[in-house]
């Protein structure tokens, strides 16, 4: 089969003939129907610090995948050929599909394990199933799995970019009363679309709202510090954004208010299962732009130039 191969930072993806994967014990083969294009793949092509994630080269990128099982290995009896699945990227040993040594969805077939497979509801397209495995999953894990957002809670969201928009919308769909901080005036106009109870330039503007949970999807240092100040006693801050690598916060406020501060990265197989259920209602659908797999390098360059609104997805034909 032909796959787009990554040879290292500063080198273009090349379309190469590679061996078709076969299912070993505890594995299945998934025919990729949709593969999302992610900014981290674009980063790997242009930023040398990403190379620590790739102990084996060349390899096939693509960590946002959904498709149909086409081959079953020994010990995978609960799955059948033809099952529709989304693929949680992480492998139990800390690697991930599309990173480490596991080839990803910029090729037509991928290997997966029990730890990756999540049943994709019939109501969801392969495109939605694929994009949910990364940004949506990251937003969900921070907001729900760690933050515990639920009906009746008052929740703060910092940053309404890609992750923050999703996180805020997820909290609204969970029944929370959501207040958001966003510095971009144009983005603040999305408040009604998301279902926000209020939006301001800084989360400090909602210090009187008793926000028991604040999720910082921006992470620009000052945003983290403002969240610490805005939280009430026993409040929780979940840190997702890494706009700046460091922040100076009020340690006295953390101690005296007995705050909980958690870091969040990606999500789990269980998170993806729950997220798919939430998405079945059709109220969490990011805009998707479909391309053919031959345009994957072109699509990644569009991402680098900032010329994409929504998510780019490479769709494989039957």
């Amino acid at each position: 089969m032909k796959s787009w191969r990554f040879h290292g930072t500063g080198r273009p993806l090349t379309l190469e003939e590679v061996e078709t994967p076969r299912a070993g014990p505890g594995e299945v083969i998934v025919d990729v129907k949709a593969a999302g294009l992610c900014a981290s793949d674009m980063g790997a092509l242009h930023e040398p610090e990403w190379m620590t994630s790739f102990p084996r080269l060349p390899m096939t990128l693509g960590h946002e995948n959904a498709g149909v099982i086409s081959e079953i290995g020994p010990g995978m009896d609960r799955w059948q050929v033809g099952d529709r699945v989304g693929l949680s990227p992480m492998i139990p040993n800390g690697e991930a599909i599309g990173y480490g040594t596991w080839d990803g969805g910029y090729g037509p077939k991928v290997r997966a394990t029990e730890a990756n497979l999540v049943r994709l509801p019939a109501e969801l397209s392969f495109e939605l199933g694929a994009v949910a495995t990364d940004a949506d999953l990251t937003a969900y894990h921070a907001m729900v799995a760690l933050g515990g957002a639920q009906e009746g809670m008052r929740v703060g969201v910092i940053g309404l970019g890609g992750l923050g928009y999703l996180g805020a919308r997820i909290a609204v769909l969970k029944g929370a009363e959501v207040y958001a901080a966003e510095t971009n005036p144009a983005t603040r106009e999305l408040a009604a679309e998301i279902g926000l109870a209020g939006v301001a330039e800084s989360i400090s503007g909602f210090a009187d709202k008793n926000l028991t949970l604040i999720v910082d999807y921006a992470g620009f240092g000052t945003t983290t510090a403002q969240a610490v100040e805005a939280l009430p006693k026993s409040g929780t801050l979940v840190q997702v954004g890494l706009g700046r690598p460091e922040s100076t916060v009020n340690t006295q406020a953390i101690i005296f208010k007995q705050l909980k501060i958690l870091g969040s990265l990606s999500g789990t197989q269980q998170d993806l299962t729950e997220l798919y259920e939430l998405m079945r209602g059709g109220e969490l659908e990011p805009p998707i732009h479909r391309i053919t797999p031959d345009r994957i390098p072109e699509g990644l360059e569009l991402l680098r130039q900032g010329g994409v609104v929504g998510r780019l997805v490479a769709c494989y034909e039957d």
Side-chain angles (χ1 to χ4, degrees), residues 241-263:
L242 197 58
R244 297 286 183 274
E246 296 180 352
S247 177
T248 300
V249 299
N250 185 341
T251 308
Q252 187 179 57
I254 295 172
I255 296 171
F256 285 6
K257 292 194 287 186
Q258 302 177 65
L259 302 181
K260 182 187 295 184
I261 300 178
L262 304 171

Side-chain angles (χ1 to χ4, degrees), residues 143-191:
M143 180 60 67
V144 180
L146 291 184
Q150 59 184 309
E151 187 173 359
M153 282 183 65
R154 288 188 174 182
V155 173
V157 170
I158 300 177
L160 290 176
L163 289 179
Y165 178 100
L166 291 166
R169 184 62 183 154
I170 286 167
V172 168
L173 292 176
K174 284 288 185 178
E177 186 177 308
V178 184
Y179 298 84
E182 170 57 52
T183 57
N184 187 329
T187 305
R188 289 200 298 272
E189 294 179 4
L190 299 174

Side-chain angles (χ1 to χ4, degrees), residues 182-262:
E182 170 57 52
T183 57
N184 187 329
T187 305
R188 289 200 298 272
E189 294 179 4
L190 299 174
E193 176 183 312
I194 298 171
L196 300 177
V199 61
E201 289 191 22
S202 168
I203 203 67
S204 302
F206 302 116
D208 62 341
K209 297 297 184 181
N210 195 34
L211 304 175
T212 55
L213 167 66
I214 294 177
V215 183
D216 183 0
Y217 289 103
F220 281 96
T222 54
T223 59
T224 307
Q226 290 162 359
V228 167
E229 297 290 349
L231 281 168
K233 186 174 181 180
S234 301
T236 297
L237 167 63
V238 178
Q239 189 67 41
V240 183
L242 197 58
R244 297 286 183 274
E246 296 180 352
S247 177
T248 300
V249 299
N250 185 341
T251 308
Q252 187 179 57
I254 295 172
I255 296 171
F256 285 6
K257 292 194 287 186
Q258 302 177 65
L259 302 181
K260 182 187 295 184
I261 300 178
L262 304 171

